[in-house]
């Protein structure tokens, strides 16, 4: 079964969220706050990258429909 782009989008952002959760819990248990900061940066980077990719695909589709 082939996954659509929307499915990949949700899967990648969800995986990023789970990785952030793991880093945050590890930071809480060990007291290493740099793990929390790293998790925030990682999740933000994943979310911004995927949102940008999604917006580019929407703009591309609008241009095709408009022609």
């Amino acid at each position: 079964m082939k996954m659509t782009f929307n499915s990949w989008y949700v899967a990648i952002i969800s995986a990023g969220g789970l990785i952030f959760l793991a880093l945050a819990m590890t930071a809480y248990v060990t007291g290493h706050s740099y793990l929390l900061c790293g998790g925030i940066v990682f999740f933000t980077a994943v979310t911004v990258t995927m949102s940008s990719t999604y917006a580019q695909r929407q703009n591309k589709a609008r241009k095709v429909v408009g022609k």
Side-chain angles (χ1 to χ4, degrees):
M1 185 170 113
K2 185 176 178 183
M3 287 180 63
T4 64
F5 178 77
N6 288 340
S7 299
W8 280 111
Y9 178 80
V10 170
I12 290 170
I13 290 196
S14 297
L18 291 174
I19 291 170
F20 171 65
L21 175 65
L23 287 172
M25 294 304 293
T26 303
Y28 176 75
V29 170
T30 62
H32 299 297
S33 61
Y34 66 87
L35 290 173
L36 184 59
C37 294
I40 290 169
V41 168
F42 175 77
F43 184 68
T44 302
V46 167
T47 304
V48 168
T49 301
M50 291 306 297
S51 297
S52 175
T53 304
Y54 193 77
Q56 288 173 359
R57 288 177 59 95
Q58 284 182 327
N59 286 336
K60 191 175 183 181
R62 277 192 202 121
K63 289 179 183 176
V64 168
V65 170
K67 288 184 177 181

